Amino acid sequence: MAEIHHLTYGAMNPVVAYLIAFVGSLLGLVCTTRARAARHRRRRTRWLVLAAITIGGAAIWLMHFTAMFGFDVPDSPVRYSPSLTVASLVVAVVTVGAGLFIVGRGEATGGRIILGGLLTGAGAVAMHYTGMAAVRVAGRIEYDGALVGASTLIAVAGATAALWLVVAVRGWRAVIAGAFTLGIAVCGMHYTGMAAMRVRLWAPGETRVEGLSPSLLIVPITVLAAVTLIGVAFSALQAMTEEEFADDRWPASRAAGRSAPLDPHGRPWSVRAVRAIDGPSNSAGRSV
């Protein structure tokens, strides 16, 4: 068996990887809560797509390859297959998205939370082992079955707990706790899966290792992270702006938790009319 290093740069890799997992999970779970509160299907779908991108793409995929910068086999070069690396991203976003769409729509039953957690956790596991299939070394990669099972259990349990906190408990504390839990689960799954890894080296000079070197992945992954997080932030702000201000049927009184007032004919009042009701002026601003 070949010697394997998982923390080539010390504690920096797991710490940075966890921070990425936490931030991605936090953004994704916030988007999930917004999806459940959305009144229209199109808006709900937009929030859930954003949640799938941030959890599947940032919290899981980006965390994985950040942690993989600390992976090294001293007796062999380490390379990555570009196609499988991209495929692992697609697997994560699609599978996690399926789980989020289950819990983000309809009644928050225990069955939905469990199924959503199962799919979300399975997405993390599928992404990890697809990403590991992209690894090229001068040997054969094998896995300990018991540790692979443990990594799967960690991912599914953590994802289910995080979704339960967000959907059943609710509130900012629940969202932060869910992000903390999901971040721990993703990182725990990753390093448990890496502990399951074994490398049997080939004879020297038997074959050449092909693929991208880890150093070539740093720049595109960093750029992708920045674009993803900034893009999600702007998309979320745009979506919130539309929800709060674009629908005239739900004017300023909606933000205060009141139902939209109606005029004597049963039609919604304009924003000016609502302000006239709340203020000392008369109702001359009422819509007609």
Side-chain angles (χ1 to χ4, degrees):
M1 292 292 182
E3 179 182 359
I4 301 175
H5 295 168
H6 298 295
L7 303 173
T8 302
Y9 302 104
M12 181 185 72
N13 279 116
V15 169
V16 174
Y18 175 75
L19 289 176
I20 291 173
F22 174 78
V23 172
S25 298
L26 182 62
L27 286 173
L29 294 178
V30 167
C31 290
T32 303
T33 60
R34 294 290 300 184
R36 290 193 57 80
R39 295 177 53 82
H40 302 289
R41 179 179 298 179
R42 180 177 59 85
R43 292 173 182 170
R44 186 180 302 116
T45 299
R46 180 193 299 179
W47 283 116
L48 291 174
V49 169
L50 290 174
I53 292 173
T54 50
I55 294 179
I60 297 174
W61 186 84
L62 186 58
M63 172 270 150
H64 171 87
F65 283 99
T66 300
M68 287 301 292
F69 290 141
F71 171 73
D72 183 45
V73 180
D75 296 328
S76 168
V78 177
R79 299 289 184 267
Y80 293 89
S81 164
S83 59
L84 284 175
T85 298
V86 173
S88 66
L89 172 60
V90 175
V91 167
V93 173
V94 171
T95 312
V96 169
L100 294 177
F101 267 80
I102 289 175
V103 298
R105 310 169 88 172
E107 186 179 354
T109 63
R112 281 179 174 271
I113 294 174
I114 291 173
L115 182 56
L118 177 63
L119 285 173
T120 302
V125 174
M127 182 275 123
H128 175 82
Y129 289 104
T130 303
M132 292 308 299
V135 176
R136 300 288 183 263
V137 295
R140 185 174 70 255
I141 296 177
E142 301 173 348
Y143 292 95
D144 180 292
L147 288 176
V148 169
S151 70
T152 302
L153 181 62
I154 290 171
V156 171
T160 304
L163 293 179
W164 175 80
L165 284 167
V166 170
V167 173
V169 180
R170 303 182 184 179
W172 274 106
R173 291 184 179 179
V175 172
I176 294 173
F180 176 82
T181 302
L182 188 54
I184 289 291
V186 171
C187 290
M189 177 276 300
H190 173 86
Y191 284 105
T192 302
M194 295 304 292
M197 183 180 183
R198 308 286 187 269
V199 175
R200 294 183 181 275
L201 293 176
W202 295 318
E206 183 173 334
T207 186
R208 193 178 76 172
V209 180
E210 298 182 349
L212 297 177
S213 68
S215 60
L216 292 178
L217 292 176
I218 293 176
V219 172
I221 286 179
T222 302
V223 171
L224 181 62
V227 170
T228 299
L229 295 178
I230 294 173
V232 167
F234 275 106
S235 296
L237 287 174
Q238 180 185 14
M240 284 189 286
T241 300
E242 289 181 359
E243 288 187 18
E244 296 296 335
F245 302 111
D247 194 343
D248 290 335
R249 293 173 300 172
W250 293 86
S253 60
R254 179 186 178 190
R258 303 193 298 270
S259 300
L262 304 177
D263 67 11
H265 302 287
R267 296 174 300 183
W269 287 48
S270 66
V271 173
R272 286 187 304 163
V274 175
R275 289 174 179 169
I277 291 175
D278 292 337
S281 60
N282 59 33
S283 60
R286 188 176 62 185
S287 62
V288 295

